[in-house]
Amino acid sequence: MGILEKIAEIEHEISRTQKNKATEYHLGLLKAKLAKYRQQLLEPTGKGGAKGEGFDVMKSGDARVAMVGFPSVGKSTLLSSMTSTHSEAAGYEFTTLTCIPGVISYNGANIQLLDLPGIIEGASQGKGRGRQVISVAKTADLILMMLDAGKSDQQKMLLERELEAVGIRLNKKPPNIYVRQKKVGGVKFTNTVPLTHCNEKLIMTVLHEYKIFNADVIFREDCTVDEFIDVIQGNRVYMTCLYVYNKVDQISIEEIDRLARMPHHVVISCEMNLNMDYLLEKIWEYLALVRVYTKKPGNAPDLGPEDGIILRGGATIEHCCHALHRSIAAQLRYAIVWGTSTKFSPQRVGLHHKLDHEDVIQIVKK
């Protein structure tokens, strides 16, 4: 029996098993086995044949955004309208057969936008070049899930299921669980909060399935057995995702209102150029990029459209120094900052001061 058949068998067993106190250990064991088989499917250990052609696209710009969706939802049209790159768009499915990169220039930042081929159901198992598409999506900072507003919500569930199967968790935080393997001493289980989804016996069952017999496990929040399995696997990617509903010009205003009010949702029409500026604002917000300006002593700050340094959200003075030159951080005496990150303007700060968007910084060396 191959891995795909084993996965199908376990999924069928999980779907027909009732969820109650008596079956939770059996379900936990099945989920652990399912995660192991899916891992083997993604990283085959055997000597395979010739290596397939991938979508290796060089990372450029300040951030990377990947568009994921079923065929003919408007990914290529969106790329052509938001960037200067032309991606072939037509009325038939699978117009795009490889990864096409474009660059969005916004707020002085260059954001790389990837138009990936449409994925089909079963992509996580390798159907329709799905694995290559999903592996590129894993390298992005933000996923734009392109959906057709005229179709049912089933498409969103199917895409989420495909991404979940390969270890991409959308709009979730990593579970606050500590696991450290030891050589001796057995399993020591501790929880700092009351647990409603797991208990010690279930945790032991899952650990034994992974052949872990000596470990320290600390639950710092009430997590499910699936989240515990994610921590043991250790290769899950937690990403922000924006659900973009295209072709809203073909549905009623009530349906547009319903979709637009849902969390992480944006409604647009590529064909009629509706709401595209709002989508750009949301991409900037979800990437959490920060633009800071530099100032020389005695001079006015450089506030031009091409000036400024693009940093990630939560960046400090140290990150800013590294962005300018790698030797500056070691020579820093202090920095003077004007902007919303300070208690008063200007403020003298050190290396670990966090910067806000549109702060002005002046560096003083030793």
Side-chain angles (χ1 to χ4, degrees):
M1 189 188 287
I3 292 177
L4 286 174
E5 288 83 6
K6 286 177 181 176
I7 287 173
E9 192 179 294
I10 292 171
E11 283 177 340
H12 177 64
E13 176 76 13
I14 289 172
S15 67
R16 70 189 184 91
T17 304
Q18 284 188 340
K19 291 180 176 67
N20 54 46
K21 283 280 181 189
T23 60
E24 63 179 7
Y25 305 114
H26 178 59
L27 281 170
L29 197 62
L30 288 174
K31 285 174 179 177
K33 283 182 178 174
L34 184 63
K36 277 176 74 178
Y37 286 137
R38 279 181 174 159
Q39 185 65 23
Q40 287 175 27
L41 192 67
L42 290 172
E43 298 169 8
T45 51
K47 292 180 181 176
K51 198 175 178 185
E53 187 190 343
F55 300 143
D56 196 17
V57 179
M58 188 175 157
K59 208 165 185 176
S60 69
D62 302 296
R64 174 182 265 195
V65 178
M67 285 189 284
V68 172
F70 288 122
S72 289
V73 291
K75 296 188 296 295
S76 299
T77 314
L78 183 69
L79 182 86
S80 299
S81 60
M82 292 184 90
T83 71
S84 56
T85 309
H86 174 70
S87 182
E88 192 64 40
Y92 51 87
E93 296 190 343
F94 298 107
T95 318
T96 306
L97 296 173
T98 186
C99 179
I100 299 168
V103 176
I104 304 169
S105 294
Y106 186 72
N107 273 355
N110 290 325
I111 301 165
Q112 188 181 40
L113 184 65
L114 300 181
D115 177 17
L116 294 166
I119 61 177
I120 55 173
E121 202 175 340
S124 56
Q125 297 167 4
K127 288 184 184 175
R129 306 191 79 182
R131 263 190 236 160
Q132 291 147 302
V133 172
I134 290 167
S135 64
V136 173
K138 271 188 172 181
T139 66
D141 302 301
L142 171 67
I143 287 182
L144 285 191
M145 190 179 283
M146 291 289 289
L147 302 159
D148 191 331
K151 293 180 180 171
S152 68
D153 287 341
Q154 187 72 15
Q155 52 175 343
K156 179 183 161 187
M157 288 167 56
L158 289 170
L159 278 169
E160 281 179 338
R161 196 185 305 156
E162 294 299 329
L163 294 173
E164 286 266 334
V166 294
I168 296 176
R169 303 288 178 260
L170 301 177
N171 297 326
K172 288 181 183 175
K173 287 183 179 178
N176 197 353
I177 302 171
Y178 172 79
V179 178
R180 184 176 70 89
Q181 291 192 49
K182 305 182 292 188
K183 290 185 179 176
V184 291
V187 174
K188 186 183 176 187
F189 176 75
T190 317
N191 56 298
T192 58
V193 292
L195 301 181
T196 57
H197 305 291
C198 292
N199 56 41
E200 192 168 347
K201 186 182 172 185
L202 182 55
I203 297 304
M204 296 293 185
T205 308
V206 173
L207 286 172
H208 290 172
E209 174 60 31
Y210 281 91
K211 296 185 170 52
I212 298 171
F213 302 103
N214 302 292
D216 287 332
V217 179
I218 304 171
F219 271 64
R220 295 195 178 103
E221 63 182 6
D222 186 14
C223 297
T224 62
V225 68
D226 298 288
E227 289 173 322
F228 179 61
I229 290 167
D230 285 350
V231 172
I232 295 174
Q233 289 275 4
N235 60 353
R236 302 303 189 230
V237 181
Y238 295 85
M239 303 185 73
T240 46
C241 175
L242 203 52
Y243 302 97
V244 182
Y245 278 86
N246 188 23
K247 306 180 185 178
V248 293
D249 50 304
Q250 300 174 9
I251 59 172
S252 67
I253 195 74
E254 290 81 15
E255 183 65 8
I256 293 171
D257 187 56
R258 184 187 73 84
L259 292 172
R261 288 180 186 278
M262 291 167 75
H264 314 297
H265 282 52
V266 177
V267 291
I268 62 162
S269 171
C270 294
E271 207 66 44
M272 298 183 72
N273 205 27
L274 296 174
N275 218 25
M276 302 296 270
D277 49 350
Y278 179 68
L279 174 61
L280 259 178
E281 284 174 29
K282 292 302 279 184
I283 289 172
W284 176 266
E285 181 192 322
Y286 273 62
L287 285 171
L289 295 176
V290 172
R291 186 184 188 189
V292 297
Y293 299 100
T294 53
K295 177 187 177 304
K296 289 179 183 174
N299 291 14
D302 301 318
L303 300 174
E306 298 301 315
D307 295 316
I309 304 162
I310 304 296
L311 303 167
R312 294 296 165 96
T316 61
I317 297 288
E318 189 174 5
H319 294 112
C320 184
C321 290
H322 288 312
L324 289 165
H325 195 275
R326 62 177 179 267
S327 66
I328 292 177
Q331 300 169 10
L332 182 84
R333 189 171 161 205
Y334 59 86
I336 301 171
V337 177
W338 292 258
T340 54
S341 68
T342 58
K343 291 177 183 174
F344 46 87
S345 273
Q347 183 180 342
R348 187 185 287 196
V349 296
L351 267 180
H352 304 295
H353 174 79
K354 284 190 179 178
L355 295 163
D356 281 357
H357 184 49
E358 296 190 335
D359 276 359
V360 175
I361 174 173
Q362 178 181 312
I363 288 168
V364 179
K365 292 185 186 178
K366 290 174 184 171

